[in-house]
Amino acid sequence: MLLRGLLLLLPGHAVDVATFQSWALRMARTGPFHFYTPDTFVDYLPGYLLVLWPLGVLMRLAPQAGPVLVKLPPALADFAVAGALARLGGPRAAWWYLWNPAVLCIGALWGQAESVAMAWILWGWWALQNRQLVLGGVLLGFGVLTKPQYALVLPVIALWAVRAGRLRREDWGGVVGAGAAAVVLPSLWFGLTPTRLLAFVLQAARVYPYGSVNALNLWHLLGFNWKPDATRWMGMPASAWGLLLAGAVGGVVLWRCGRAREPGSFYLAAAIFFLGVFTLGTRMHERYLFPALPFGILAWRGGRIGAHAVASLTFLLSADLAYGLAYLSTYPATRTPLYHAVWSLFTPPVTAALSLLHLALLGWMLLVLVRRPA
């Protein structure tokens, strides 16, 4: 807690912190129903805006505290994630998470909301494991409403529930209904009907239509960083290649889940799913690798991979985040001496090597998933 408190005082990602401050103040001024307007840039769903709302009220009382306040939710959510990891994978899983440098960077330092969504997802999985079905559905719904890309893990959880016998046929309606209510009801408060909500998600996915958005993945390696993913590569748009390749990884993961029984295999499957989408998909931001880390920690505690795999995920995610933060130094308004110094380290050979390491780790983890007994 002390370490995170110190990191809160440091400058985070200037653009993201300023954006969250603006949204928090707008929530305090307008409330939810009038928040989404055509003249306001917003690409987040209501889940995280509800978290920012009370912070906006506090900011109106103490404007100078704004940068610290908007970084507080992910710093606190780290402890919620650690609590879920302790219950799902034991105390060492929580320890590896809380002291992980990538986790410290993305939350308390950067100020991004990944740990908030992950807390909902992990506690939802824990609730289903303990037959708290409605609670599990609601928590998973909140996770998706915070970060819609986290819905990728839902098929893995569903297959786990089938294989582990946690949900009977008559239970599914209640779980799905609770999850849908957790997504739809808060959205209605913001004036988003299910149709408008779906349209908003599709619109938000088009905000950054690039091969890579500072993600050191396949498309960064091929020169598509900040390059439109509609650009053709080997006869097809990069976006189509991304969907095809990431979909192939997802197919292998779900096929393997259909044969698995041990929780560790499903945790490994979830980690690989997120790693595969990040490494092979387009429109990936540098921080989108984050979900693979807590699931990788759980897979390690479940005996499916070694600690070196978690260390590799940590190293690569840390490199992605350092690249994203240092990229700020390319703009005069956000340049700082530290970020500029870090940016000078990311020469083309270095970024190419890091991109290849992402691909290598994905291939190795897929091999482990396929070859080891489930």
Side-chain angles (χ1 to χ4, degrees), residues 31 38-39 50 104 149 155 198 212 223 265 298 371:
D39 60 339
L50 290 172
L104 291 166
Q149 59 267 36
L198 178 59
S212 169
S265 296
L298 287 174
R371 294 185 62 179

Side-chain angles (χ1 to χ4, degrees), residues 23 35-36 42-50 143-149 183 187 190 192 196-198 200-201 204:
W23 291 346
F35 183 85
Y36 290 102
V42 184
D43 60 350
Y44 270 51
L45 294 184
Y48 200 59
L49 298 175
L50 290 172
V144 173
L145 192 62
T146 303
K147 290 280 184 178
Q149 59 267 36
V183 172
S187 300
F190 281 79
L192 297 176
R196 287 190 62 195
L197 179 64
L198 178 59
F200 179 82
V201 171

Side-chain angles (χ1 to χ4, degrees), residues 33-75:
F33 194 76
H34 300 288
F35 183 85
Y36 290 102
T37 59
D39 60 339
T40 303
F41 170 76
V42 184
D43 60 350
Y44 270 51
L45 294 184
Y48 200 59
L49 298 175
L50 290 172
V51 175
L52 293 175
W53 191 359
L55 302 181
V57 175
L58 293 175
M59 265 186 271
R60 297 179 77 176
L61 301 174
Q64 300 83 359
V68 173
L69 286 173
V70 295
K71 293 203 297 177
L72 189 59

Side-chain angles (χ1 to χ4, degrees), residues 146-200:
T146 303
K147 290 280 184 178
Q149 59 267 36
Y150 282 31
L152 289 171
V153 78
L154 296 184
V156 175
I157 296 176
L159 284 170
W160 162 82
V162 171
R163 298 292 294 171
R166 287 294 193 274
L167 296 181
R168 297 183 292 267
R169 182 177 300 178
E170 60 270 20
D171 296 330
W172 282 98
V175 174
V176 173
V183 172
V184 171
L185 294 181
S187 300
L188 291 175
W189 199 11
F190 281 79
L192 297 176
T193 63
T195 303
R196 287 190 62 195
L197 179 64
L198 178 59
F200 179 82

Side-chain angles (χ1 to χ4, degrees), residues 71-152:
K71 293 203 297 177
L72 189 59
L76 294 177
D78 280 345
F79 294 94
V81 173
L85 290 175
R87 283 158 178 77
L88 294 169
R92 290 193 70 189
W95 188 93
W96 270 64
Y97 179 85
L98 282 175
W99 289 100
N100 192 287
V103 173
L104 291 166
C105 177
I106 199 171
L109 176 59
W110 183 308
Q112 259 296 339
E114 309 299 329
S115 60
V116 177
M118 183 53 61
W120 295 125
I121 295 293
L122 289 177
W123 279 107
W125 200 333
W126 174 85
L128 292 182
Q129 287 191 3
N130 288 273
R131 293 280 302 166
Q132 299 181 37
L133 306 183
V134 173
L135 176 62
V138 168
L139 293 174
L140 293 174
F142 282 157
V144 173
L145 192 62
T146 303
K147 290 280 184 178
Q149 59 267 36
Y150 282 31
L152 289 171

Side-chain angles (χ1 to χ4, degrees), residues 100-106 110 216 286 289 293 310-325 342 346 354 358:
N100 192 287
V103 173
L104 291 166
C105 177
I106 199 171
W110 183 308
L216 298 172
E286 62 285 293
L289 181 59
L293 180 59
V310 180
S312 298
L313 278 172
T314 299
F315 170 74
L316 292 177
L317 178 56
S318 299
D320 285 304
L321 297 176
Y323 184 86
L325 284 171
V342 174
F346 286 101
L354 290 169
H358 283 81

Side-chain angles (χ1 to χ4, degrees), residues 247-264:
V249 171
V252 172
V253 164
L254 296 179
W255 164 75
R256 191 57 176 157
C257 286
R259 303 173 56 194
R261 290 189 181 276
E262 294 297 323

